[in-house]
Amino acid sequence: MQRKIAVVGTGYVGLTTGACLATLGHQVVCADIDAAKVERLRAGEVDILEPGLADLVQRGLRTGRLRFVVGASAAVEPDTDVLFLCVPTPMGVDGSADLRAVVSVLGEVRDILPPGCAVATKSTVPVGTADRLAMMVGSPIVSNPEFLREGTAVDDFLHPDRIVVGSSDRSAARKVGELYQGLQAPTLILDAASAEMVKYAANCFLAVKLSYVNAIAQLCDRVGADVLAVTEGMGYDPRIGRSFLKPGPGWGGSCLPKDANALVHVAESVGLEFPLLRSAIEQNQRQLDEVLDRVRQACDGTLRGARIGLLGLAFKAGTNDLRDSPAIRIADALAAEGAEITAHDPAISGELPGIRLVDDPYEAVKGAVVVLVLTEWPEFRSLDWTRVAELMDGFTVLDTRNLLDGDLLSRAGLTWRGMGRPC
Ligand code: UGA
């Protein structure tokens, strides 16, 4: 059934939700407080790098199924069936989720919500929030967590593993679940707290898995094993699975770090220690320290005045998102010890504090004592490594993503070092 939908917030979650729901045949109005951004979206311009999203936005605008307005209240109409909250819930100072944007939007629309309109939260919110917000607005709130990965958000939306909806009002939950009827995926209708918990539990499980794999990589380095062989051997076990087993410079992005800290906070707020998750967060810092140690070693112990070339700054390939990017944390830490940083990322241009950002990867490596690969952009594989060797001042390439062919680099006269891999 075609529904009238309002989506508040046009970040990668809100915009993907709005554009994909319009593609499924619903009438969608997306709202943002940023008037200039709304103007660009009306012209079909999408700021974020998200494959397929600009096409869907433009198609939605052409068919008239997708509109953009400034401000949440402008998106709510007398016949709106569902309002989605897709506003940020950043990490507060104590690690908890900051709900000010969610509360502010609800305050704005509370008095104009039509009777029977379901309000759904896509924003990741602490367990119990849906029920608390329902009391505030006097309408049912449905938790409908998203499982979209940046860089593949459109595909993830249109081919979901599962749809999760939860509310104390089952009919409101069903109404939200039915919006996805065109998609072939199991739909779980839960209570609100369980739906909210699914999102945290899933993201934090991924964080724990990655910290585990990063720790195994550190161990492989010390005992002379190859983490690629080890994870291949692990991944055949269906209980473990093959995905999310790649070591790296640490996990980042706008979701995993924020959600891991928030869940520790949720646990503490009910008097429960969660040492496993705390350790996963600590291990993520250790992984970063491991990378810094290796750079120091390659620079004979001191970074003062050392030229370091960085390839990749985004928190993962396929996005231009720098939020909580391990690459930025590494760049900042190196610069704090006196290193001079030049960086190239195919998706990032402009100015960044403390980093000389260049458009050409060869410019980034020129004069560098050490080159670090920090984002797994496939184009780095096909660089001319002989030319890189000629341009560099030193020999070491620290491949924190195990992206490159070590033999090829050796033949070019470079010393390749991966994570958890024999040299
Ligand atoms: C994550 C979840 O994967 C999504 O399911 C979830 O919907 C989303 O958060 C969210 O909460 O909105 P995303 O932040 O886009 O998605 O990034 P991931 O693909 O999960 O990667 C997270 C971090 O782990 C990145 O820094 C990435 O480089 C790192 N990673 C991932 C590895 O180091 N190794 C891997 O094998 C996989």
Side-chain angles (χ1 to χ4, degrees), residues 28-44:
V28 182
V29 186
C30 288
D32 204 286
I33 43 167
D34 181 342
K37 185 177 185 187
V38 167
E39 215 35 66
R40 289 195 296 279
L41 287 168
R42 282 179 180 153

Side-chain angles (χ1 to χ4, degrees), residues 154-166:
V154 169
D155 198 52
D156 287 348
F157 192 102
L158 296 174
H159 305 98
D161 306 317
R162 74 293 207 194
I163 304 289
V164 174
V165 281

Side-chain angles (χ1 to χ4, degrees), residues 42 50 56 60 85 93 101 111 133 177 191 202 267 269 312 334 336 347 363 368:
R42 282 179 180 153
E50 200 57 67
L56 289 194
L85 296 172
V93 271
D111 296 333
L133 295 176
D191 61 281
S269 71
L334 293 172
E363 186 63 27

